[in-house]
Amino acid sequence: MTKLIAGNWKMNGLVASSQVLAHGLADKVKANPGRADVAICPPGPLIRDALSAVSGSPISVGGQDCHANESGAHTGDTSAALLADMGCSSVILGHSERRADHGETSALVKNKAQAALNAGLVVIVCVGESEAERDAGQAETVIGQQIDGSLPAGGTPQTVVIAYEPVWAIGTGRTPSLQEIRAIHVFIRNRAQESHGLGDGLRILYGGSVKPGNASEILAIQGVDGALVGGASLTVEDFWGIIENCP
Ligand code: 13P
């Protein structure tokens, strides 16, 4: 399966700097095609500029969140239909930062995912345990509940992607061992199969401190179908350094 390398820019970038980044990436990917499927997920107000910067390249653009309703009185929110209409292909949902900062529950994430599927977007649903949950031996319990509760009904391996992002590995420079990543990805695939019939062909990404220096060993793990990258997606050099390390 072709790896998917998705850059989650989070709340980073201004108009000019994001143009430099998106154009630089598009140039790299056009000059070296076929290494991986590449997506960038900029902050909402930068999506249109990012789409025009990468047009003519195989890079796709995604949102970082959407509302569960199709439209309406929801100040500050963005509908999945608008993301799709602008030209986005995907949307990240249930990121641990949204679960923590905005109190998003798995039930809400599922409703958002349902809206995104209805709008024709690929959903990248994030799951992952906190350090306390991991230390208490609860990682699989927590992740299992997130999978059961967050995945939409009616998804397929073409429309649903799961990103495993241990909360304690995000932005910390720490990562689980390669064996731990492999084991959790096996667990996630089995659980997605049991709960939603989605195991075979499902793309499961790893996210959390992926860098050019650790990308090749992480991406070589069987069952790791790509990466969701935060900090290292913010420079052309680092993000390309991950893409070109795809096995
Ligand atoms: P970092 O790559 O900065 O650890 O962030 C990972 C992440 O949260 C991607 O969604």
Side-chain angles (χ1 to χ4, degrees):
M1 190 183 321
T2 309
K3 307 279 184 195
L4 170 61
I5 309 296
N8 176 8
W9 291 6
K10 306 190 181 184
M11 199 177 71
N12 294 296
L14 298 173
V15 173
S17 62
S18 67
Q19 281 291 288
V20 173
L21 175 53
H23 276 291
L25 275 174
D27 289 345
K28 278 283 191 195
V29 172
K30 274 194 283 191
N32 307 273
R35 298 285 177 101
D37 292 339
V38 179
I40 54 173
C41 302
L46 295 176
I47 284 175
R48 244 177 126 66
D49 283 355
L51 278 161
S52 51
V54 302
S55 76
S57 86
I59 300 176
S60 67
V61 176
Q64 297 178 10
D65 180 44
C66 70
H67 198 275
N69 290 9
E70 258 181 67
S71 63
H74 303 289
T75 301
D77 282 314
T78 301
S79 71
L82 175 57
L83 293 177
D85 189 42
M86 290 170 79
C88 287
S89 313
S90 60
V91 62
I92 299 169
L93 294 172
H95 192 282
S96 59
E97 288 152 14
R98 293 208 60 88
R99 290 180 190 260
D101 295 356
H102 299 273
E104 292 197 3
T105 61
S106 289
L108 177 61
V109 174
K110 178 181 177 163
N111 289 341
K112 291 182 172 199
Q114 216 73 59
L117 284 190
N118 290 343
L121 296 171
V122 169
V123 297
I124 303 174
V125 176
C126 301
V127 300
E129 82 286 0
S130 68
E131 184 150 42
E133 289 161 345
R134 171 191 161 92
D135 290 346
Q138 294 294 307
E140 290 194 354
T141 305
V142 169
I143 294 165
Q145 287 167 352
Q146 289 171 337
I147 291 170
D148 295 352
S150 308
L151 293 188
T156 69
Q158 285 70 48
T159 58
V160 175
V161 174
I162 296 180
Y164 168 53
E165 299 206 312
V167 178
W168 53 272
I170 294 175
T172 60
R174 297 163 57 204
T175 59
S177 71
L178 302 180
Q179 290 79 354
E180 287 168 328
I181 295 174
R182 187 166 53 77
I184 291 283
H185 278 236
V186 169
F187 170 79
I188 290 172
R189 194 174 301 284
N190 289 339
R191 189 65 167 248
Q193 179 64 36
E194 278 164 33
S195 66
H196 289 78
L198 273 178
D200 284 343
L202 176 71
R203 268 177 162 166
I204 305 176
L205 314 183
Y206 169 77
S209 296
V210 177
K211 305 260 177 312
N214 61 16
S216 61
E217 57 182 15
I218 291 174
L219 291 166
I221 301 171
Q222 199 181 357
V224 173
D225 305 307
L228 184 55
V229 184
S233 72
L234 298 176
T235 67
V236 174
E237 193 186 10
D238 283 350
F239 199 49
W240 178 251
I242 292 168
I243 296 164
E244 72 173 353
N245 271 305
C246 280

